[in-house]
Protein backbone atom coordinates (compact mmCIF):
# COMPACT_ATOMS: atom_id res chain seq x y z
CA UNK A 1 0.00 0.00 0.00
CA UNK A 2 2.89 2.32 0.67
CA UNK A 3 3.87 1.95 -2.98
CA UNK A 4 0.64 3.63 -3.98
CA UNK A 5 1.78 6.88 -2.48
CA UNK A 6 5.49 7.09 -3.12
CA UNK A 7 4.90 10.51 -4.58
CA UNK A 8 3.07 11.69 -1.50
CA UNK A 9 5.61 10.86 1.20
CA UNK A 10 4.57 12.70 4.32
CA UNK A 11 6.82 15.34 5.75
CA UNK A 12 6.19 17.90 8.39
CA UNK A 13 8.51 20.38 6.77
CA UNK A 14 8.10 21.89 3.35
CA UNK A 15 9.91 20.50 0.35
CA UNK A 16 10.15 21.48 -3.27
CA UNK A 17 7.90 19.23 -5.32
CA UNK A 18 8.15 20.68 -8.77
CA UNK A 19 10.67 22.98 -10.40
CA UNK A 20 7.88 24.78 -12.17
CA UNK A 21 9.48 28.19 -11.93
CA UNK A 22 12.45 30.08 -10.69
CA UNK A 23 13.37 30.14 -7.02
CA UNK A 24 13.45 33.89 -6.61
CA UNK A 25 11.16 35.54 -4.08
CA UNK A 26 8.73 37.12 -6.49
CA UNK A 27 8.80 40.37 -8.34
CA UNK A 28 7.22 43.70 -7.55
CA UNK A 29 4.38 45.37 -9.36
CA UNK A 30 6.96 47.62 -10.94
CA UNK A 31 8.24 44.61 -12.83
CA UNK A 32 4.66 43.75 -13.84
CA UNK A 33 4.08 47.18 -15.33
CA UNK A 34 7.20 46.86 -17.47
CA UNK A 35 5.77 43.75 -19.07
CA UNK A 36 8.23 41.26 -17.62
CA UNK A 37 7.31 37.96 -16.01
CA UNK A 38 6.94 37.87 -12.24
CA UNK A 39 8.01 34.67 -10.50
CA UNK A 40 5.93 33.73 -7.46
CA UNK A 41 6.18 30.81 -5.07
CA UNK A 42 3.01 28.97 -4.13
CA UNK A 43 2.63 26.62 -1.15
CA UNK A 44 0.37 23.66 -1.96
CA UNK A 45 -0.74 20.27 -0.61
CA UNK A 46 -0.15 17.07 -2.65
CA UNK A 47 -3.81 16.31 -3.27
CA UNK A 48 -6.23 16.43 -6.18
CA UNK A 49 -7.59 19.81 -5.01
CA UNK A 50 -4.67 21.81 -6.41
CA UNK A 51 -4.73 20.25 -9.88
CA UNK A 52 -6.07 23.48 -11.46
CA UNK A 53 -2.81 25.32 -10.73
CA UNK A 54 -0.72 22.61 -12.38
CA UNK A 55 -3.17 22.47 -15.26
CA UNK A 56 -3.34 26.25 -15.56
CA UNK A 57 0.42 26.48 -15.70
CA UNK A 58 0.58 23.77 -18.37
CA UNK A 59 -2.08 25.54 -20.44
CA UNK A 60 -0.27 28.86 -20.19
CA UNK A 61 -2.92 30.74 -18.24
CA UNK A 62 -0.41 32.09 -15.73
CA UNK A 63 2.19 32.90 -18.37
CA UNK A 64 -0.49 34.83 -20.27
CA UNK A 65 -0.95 37.00 -17.20
CA UNK A 66 2.78 37.48 -16.72
CA UNK A 67 3.29 34.99 -13.91
CA UNK A 68 5.69 32.10 -13.48
CA UNK A 69 4.82 29.71 -10.64
CA UNK A 70 7.20 27.77 -8.42
CA UNK A 71 5.11 25.13 -6.65
CA UNK A 72 6.09 23.67 -3.27
CA UNK A 73 4.28 20.94 -1.29
CA UNK A 74 3.43 20.75 2.42
CA UNK A 75 1.49 18.27 4.61
CA UNK A 76 -1.46 20.54 5.30
CA UNK A 77 -2.87 24.04 5.01
CA UNK A 78 -1.80 24.86 8.55
CA UNK A 79 1.83 24.42 7.44
CA UNK A 80 1.36 26.68 4.44
CA UNK A 81 0.08 29.67 6.43
CA UNK A 82 3.39 30.51 8.18
CA UNK A 83 5.20 30.03 4.88
CA UNK A 84 3.07 32.74 3.29
CA UNK A 85 3.14 35.17 6.20
CA UNK A 86 6.92 34.85 6.52
CA UNK A 87 7.39 35.63 2.83
CA UNK A 88 8.64 32.16 1.92
CA UNK A 89 5.67 31.93 -0.44
CA UNK A 90 3.78 34.72 -2.15
CA UNK A 91 0.60 32.62 -2.31
CA UNK A 92 -0.66 29.49 -0.63
CA UNK A 93 -3.50 26.98 -0.59
CA UNK A 94 -5.22 26.27 2.71
CA UNK A 95 -8.44 24.90 4.10
CA UNK A 96 -10.86 27.53 5.34
CA UNK A 97 -10.64 26.54 9.00
CA UNK A 98 -6.88 27.14 9.05
CA UNK A 99 -7.45 30.53 7.44
CA UNK A 100 -10.24 31.39 9.88
CA UNK A 101 -8.04 30.43 12.82
CA UNK A 102 -5.18 32.51 11.45
CA UNK A 103 -7.42 35.54 10.92
CA UNK A 104 -8.93 35.23 14.40
CA UNK A 105 -5.39 35.24 15.81
CA UNK A 106 -4.58 38.42 13.87
CA UNK A 107 -2.27 36.56 11.51
CA UNK A 108 -2.06 38.81 8.41
CA UNK A 109 -3.66 36.59 5.76
CA UNK A 110 -5.98 37.52 2.91
CA UNK A 111 -7.90 35.06 0.74
CA UNK A 112 -7.58 36.05 -2.92
CA UNK A 113 -9.01 33.24 -5.05
CA UNK A 114 -11.39 30.34 -4.66
CA UNK A 115 -9.90 26.90 -4.16
CA UNK A 116 -12.34 24.00 -4.06
CA UNK A 117 -15.86 23.15 -3.00
CA UNK A 118 -17.62 20.00 -1.88
CA UNK A 119 -19.76 18.26 -4.45
CA UNK A 120 -22.60 18.58 -1.97
CA UNK A 121 -23.66 14.98 -2.62
CA UNK A 122 -23.87 12.49 0.25
CA UNK A 123 -21.76 9.45 -0.57
CA UNK A 124 -20.37 11.10 -3.70
CA UNK A 125 -18.03 13.71 -2.29
CA UNK A 126 -14.25 13.95 -2.59
CA UNK A 127 -13.82 13.62 1.18
CA UNK A 128 -15.30 11.22 3.72
CA UNK A 129 -14.86 9.45 7.04
CA UNK A 130 -13.74 5.92 6.21
CA UNK A 131 -13.32 2.62 8.06
CA UNK A 132 -12.12 -0.87 7.13
CA UNK A 133 -14.59 -3.01 5.27
CA UNK A 134 -15.01 -5.37 8.23
CA UNK A 135 -15.16 -2.64 10.87
CA UNK A 136 -18.12 -2.78 13.26
CA UNK A 137 -18.41 1.01 13.00
CA UNK A 138 -21.48 1.87 10.96
CA UNK A 139 -22.09 5.52 11.83
CA UNK A 140 -20.20 8.60 12.98
CA UNK A 141 -21.81 8.29 16.43
CA UNK A 142 -19.75 5.14 16.99
CA UNK A 143 -16.53 7.12 16.67
CA UNK A 144 -16.79 8.03 20.36
CA UNK A 145 -13.68 6.65 22.06
CA UNK A 146 -12.16 5.64 18.72
CA UNK A 147 -8.92 6.76 17.05
CA UNK A 148 -9.77 8.90 14.05
CA UNK A 149 -7.00 10.16 11.79
CA UNK A 150 -7.01 13.69 10.36
CA UNK A 151 -4.16 15.29 8.44
CA UNK A 152 -3.62 18.14 10.91
CA UNK A 153 -5.29 18.90 14.21
CA UNK A 154 -7.59 21.90 14.57
CA UNK A 155 -8.34 22.21 10.88
CA UNK A 156 -11.32 21.72 8.60
CA UNK A 157 -11.16 17.93 8.76
CA UNK A 158 -11.47 17.92 12.55
CA UNK A 159 -14.41 20.31 12.27
CA UNK A 160 -15.95 18.05 9.63
CA UNK A 161 -15.65 14.93 11.77
CA UNK A 162 -17.15 16.79 14.71
CA UNK A 163 -20.05 17.88 12.53
CA UNK A 164 -20.76 14.32 11.43
CA UNK A 165 -20.51 12.91 14.96
CA UNK A 166 -22.88 15.58 16.29
CA UNK A 167 -25.32 15.05 13.42
CA UNK A 168 -25.37 11.33 14.20
CA UNK A 169 -26.18 12.03 17.85
CA UNK A 170 -22.71 11.48 19.28
CA UNK A 171 -20.32 13.56 21.39
CA UNK A 172 -17.41 14.82 19.26
CA UNK A 173 -15.39 15.59 22.41
CA UNK A 174 -15.15 11.84 22.95
CA UNK A 175 -13.33 11.25 19.66
CA UNK A 176 -9.59 10.52 19.90
CA UNK A 177 -8.12 12.55 17.03
CA UNK A 178 -4.77 11.39 15.66
CA UNK A 179 -2.65 13.52 13.35
CA UNK A 180 -1.49 11.62 10.28
CA UNK A 181 -0.64 12.59 6.70
CA UNK A 182 -3.25 11.65 4.12
CA UNK A 183 -0.90 9.31 2.27
CA UNK A 184 -0.25 7.33 5.45
CA UNK A 185 -3.91 6.85 6.32
CA UNK A 186 -4.76 3.93 3.96
CA UNK A 187 -2.00 1.72 5.37
CA UNK A 188 -2.71 2.77 8.97
CA UNK A 189 -6.39 1.98 8.55
CA UNK A 190 -5.71 -1.33 6.87
CA UNK A 191 -3.29 -2.40 9.63
CA UNK A 192 -5.65 -1.39 12.45
CA UNK A 193 -3.46 1.39 13.84
CA UNK A 194 -6.48 3.69 13.61
CA UNK A 195 -10.21 3.00 13.72
CA UNK A 196 -11.25 5.54 11.10
CA UNK A 197 -9.77 8.17 8.81
CA UNK A 198 -11.11 11.46 7.51
CA UNK A 199 -9.62 11.47 4.04
CA UNK A 200 -9.79 13.37 0.78
CA UNK A 201 -8.84 12.22 -2.69
CA UNK A 202 -6.74 10.42 -3.73
CA UNK A 203 -6.51 8.68 -0.34
CA UNK A 204 -10.28 8.11 -0.41
CA UNK A 205 -10.10 6.12 -3.64
CA UNK A 206 -7.16 4.15 -2.30
CA UNK A 207 -9.03 3.15 0.86
CA UNK A 208 -12.06 2.10 -1.19
CA UNK A 209 -9.76 0.18 -3.51
CA UNK A 210 -8.39 -1.79 -0.54
CA UNK A 211 -11.88 -2.68 0.65
CA UNK A 212 -12.65 0.22 2.98
CA UNK A 213 -15.97 2.05 3.08
CA UNK A 214 -17.46 5.44 3.92
CA UNK A 215 -19.58 6.09 6.98
CA UNK A 216 -20.14 9.83 6.52
CA UNK A 217 -19.67 12.59 3.95
CA UNK A 218 -18.41 15.10 6.47
CA UNK A 219 -17.96 18.11 4.20
CA UNK A 220 -21.59 17.74 3.15
CA UNK A 221 -22.57 17.55 6.82
CA UNK A 222 -21.09 21.01 7.42
CA UNK A 223 -23.00 22.82 4.69
CA UNK A 224 -24.32 22.31 1.16
CA UNK A 225 -21.71 23.22 -1.46
CA UNK A 226 -19.12 23.96 1.19
CA UNK A 227 -16.16 26.14 0.23
CA UNK A 228 -13.42 23.90 1.57
CA UNK A 229 -10.26 25.80 0.72
CA UNK A 230 -8.97 28.97 -0.91
CA UNK A 231 -5.76 30.48 -2.23
CA UNK A 232 -4.40 33.30 -0.10
CA UNK A 233 -1.55 35.70 0.40
CA UNK A 234 -0.27 37.89 3.21
CA UNK A 235 -2.00 41.21 3.74
CA UNK A 236 1.35 42.93 3.30
CA UNK A 237 1.99 41.30 -0.05
CA UNK A 238 -1.55 42.12 -1.18
CA UNK A 239 -1.07 45.78 -0.24
CA UNK A 240 2.37 46.08 -1.84
CA UNK A 241 1.65 44.04 -4.99
CA UNK A 242 -1.97 44.58 -5.99
CA UNK A 243 -1.29 44.06 -9.71
CA UNK A 244 0.42 40.71 -9.11
CA UNK A 245 -2.43 39.61 -6.87
CA UNK A 246 -4.96 40.59 -9.52
CA UNK A 247 -3.05 38.63 -12.17
CA UNK A 248 -2.94 35.59 -9.89
CA UNK A 249 -6.70 35.92 -9.31
CA UNK A 250 -7.43 36.17 -13.03
CA UNK A 251 -5.18 33.27 -14.02
CA UNK A 252 -6.50 31.10 -11.19
CA UNK A 253 -10.10 31.82 -12.17
CA UNK A 254 -9.32 30.63 -15.68
CA UNK A 255 -7.58 27.55 -14.29
CA UNK A 256 -10.51 26.67 -12.03
CA UNK A 257 -13.01 27.02 -14.86
CA UNK A 258 -10.89 24.89 -17.17
CA UNK A 259 -10.38 22.19 -14.55
CA UNK A 260 -14.08 22.09 -13.73
CA UNK A 261 -14.95 21.42 -17.37
CA UNK A 262 -12.06 19.07 -18.24
CA UNK A 263 -12.06 16.23 -15.67
CA UNK A 264 -9.99 13.90 -17.86
CA UNK A 265 -7.21 16.45 -18.08
CA UNK A 266 -7.40 16.95 -14.32
CA UNK A 267 -6.82 13.25 -13.74
CA UNK A 268 -3.91 13.32 -16.17
CA UNK A 269 -2.21 16.31 -14.55
CA UNK A 270 -2.50 14.74 -11.09
CA UNK A 271 -0.05 12.06 -12.25
CA UNK A 272 2.63 14.74 -12.66
CA UNK A 273 2.83 15.56 -8.95
CA UNK A 274 1.70 12.27 -7.41
CA UNK A 275 2.29 8.63 -8.30
CA UNK A 276 -1.21 7.25 -8.13
CA UNK A 277 -1.90 4.03 -10.05
CA UNK A 278 -4.17 4.50 -13.04
CA UNK A 279 -6.84 2.15 -11.64
CA UNK A 280 -7.06 4.20 -8.43
CA UNK A 281 -6.98 7.54 -10.24
CA UNK A 282 -9.90 6.48 -12.41
CA UNK A 283 -12.00 6.03 -9.26
CA UNK A 284 -11.11 9.39 -7.73
CA UNK A 285 -14.09 11.67 -7.05
CA UNK A 286 -13.21 15.18 -8.16
CA UNK A 287 -14.27 18.22 -6.14
CA UNK A 288 -16.00 21.22 -7.64
CA UNK A 289 -13.95 24.23 -8.70
CA UNK A 290 -16.40 27.15 -8.73
CA UNK A 291 -15.15 30.63 -9.55
CA UNK A 292 -16.44 32.21 -6.35
CA UNK A 293 -16.50 31.10 -2.69
CA UNK A 294 -19.81 30.30 -1.01
CA UNK A 295 -19.90 32.79 1.85
CA UNK A 296 -22.88 31.24 3.63
CA UNK A 297 -21.05 27.92 3.82
CA UNK A 298 -17.97 29.65 5.25
CA UNK A 299 -20.19 31.29 7.85
CA UNK A 300 -21.51 27.84 8.81
CA UNK A 301 -17.94 26.56 9.07
CA UNK A 302 -16.96 29.51 11.24
CA UNK A 303 -19.92 28.86 13.54
CA UNK A 304 -18.80 25.26 14.01
CA UNK A 305 -15.28 26.46 14.72
CA UNK A 306 -16.59 28.83 17.37
CA UNK A 307 -18.59 26.02 18.97
CA UNK A 308 -15.48 23.84 18.92
CA UNK A 309 -13.40 26.49 20.67
CA UNK A 310 -11.01 26.98 17.75
CA UNK A 311 -10.98 30.77 17.87
CA UNK A 312 -9.68 33.18 20.49
CA UNK A 313 -11.98 35.77 18.95
CA UNK A 314 -14.54 35.62 16.17
CA UNK A 315 -12.86 35.74 12.76
CA UNK A 316 -13.61 38.76 10.59
CA UNK A 317 -14.91 37.34 7.31
CA UNK A 318 -15.01 40.75 5.66
CA UNK A 319 -11.31 41.18 6.32
CA UNK A 320 -10.42 37.64 5.24
CA UNK A 321 -12.47 37.12 2.10
CA UNK A 322 -11.92 38.92 -1.22
Amino acid sequence: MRRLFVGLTAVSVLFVASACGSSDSGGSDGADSSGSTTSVKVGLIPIVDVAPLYLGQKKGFYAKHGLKLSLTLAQGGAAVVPGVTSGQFQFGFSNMTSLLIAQSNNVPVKAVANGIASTGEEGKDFGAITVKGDSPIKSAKQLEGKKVAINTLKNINETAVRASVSKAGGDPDQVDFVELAFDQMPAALDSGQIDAAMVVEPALATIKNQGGREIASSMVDIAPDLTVAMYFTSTRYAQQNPATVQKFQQATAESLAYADSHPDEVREIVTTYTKIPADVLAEVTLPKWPAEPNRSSIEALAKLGEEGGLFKQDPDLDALLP
Side-chain angles (χ1 to χ4, degrees), residues 71-95:
L71 307 178
T72 300
L73 297 182
Q75 179 171 321
V80 176
V81 171
V84 171
T85 55
S86 69
Q88 183 179 1
F89 309 126
Q90 283 69 59
F91 300 96
F93 177 88
S94 180
N95 70 83

Side-chain angles (χ1 to χ4, degrees), residues 240-259:
Q240 295 181 347
N241 302 273
T244 300
V245 170
Q246 184 179 39
K247 291 179 179 182
F248 182 82
Q249 290 172 320
Q250 293 170 339
T252 300
E254 289 185 45
S255 300
L256 293 171
Y258 191 88

Side-chain angles (χ1 to χ4, degrees), residues 131-269:
V131 296
K132 288 185 66 174
D134 60 357
S135 171
I137 299 173
K138 304 297 183 183
S139 75
K141 183 181 188 303
Q142 294 174 289
L143 296 178
E144 294 177 344
K146 300 296 192 297
K147 288 185 178 180
V148 180
I150 52 177
N151 67 319
T152 53
L153 298 173
K154 306 300 181 184
N155 80 348
I156 194 168
N157 289 306
E158 180 173 335
T159 300
V161 173
R162 286 178 171 274
S164 292
V165 172
S166 295
K167 182 179 179 181
D171 181 359
D173 290 336
Q174 298 302 312
V175 176
D176 180 12
F177 289 103
V178 178
E179 189 170 272
L180 197 64
F182 286 127
D183 66 294
Q184 295 181 346
M185 292 183 190
L189 188 63
D190 198 45
S191 66
Q193 296 177 41
I194 54 177
D195 299 301
M198 174 62 208
V199 293
V200 297
E201 297 290 12
L204 176 57
T206 301
I207 288 174
K208 289 180 178 179
N209 198 51
Q210 68 187 26
R213 55 185 170 81
E214 296 182 25
I215 61 167
S217 297
S218 291
M219 299 299 182
V220 181
D221 287 341
I222 293 175
D225 303 317
L226 174 68
T227 295
V228 177
M230 293 186 69
Y231 294 95
F232 69 102
T233 188
S234 67
T235 54
R236 179 179 180 182
Y237 189 83
Q239 292 166 357
Q240 295 181 347
N241 302 273
T244 300
V245 170
Q246 184 179 39
K247 291 179 179 182
F248 182 82
Q249 290 172 320
Q250 293 170 339
T252 300
E254 289 185 45
S255 300
L256 293 171
Y258 191 88
D260 212 39
S261 59
H262 295 80
D264 290 341
E265 291 187 48
V266 167
R267 295 179 195 279
E268 182 180 350
I269 202 73

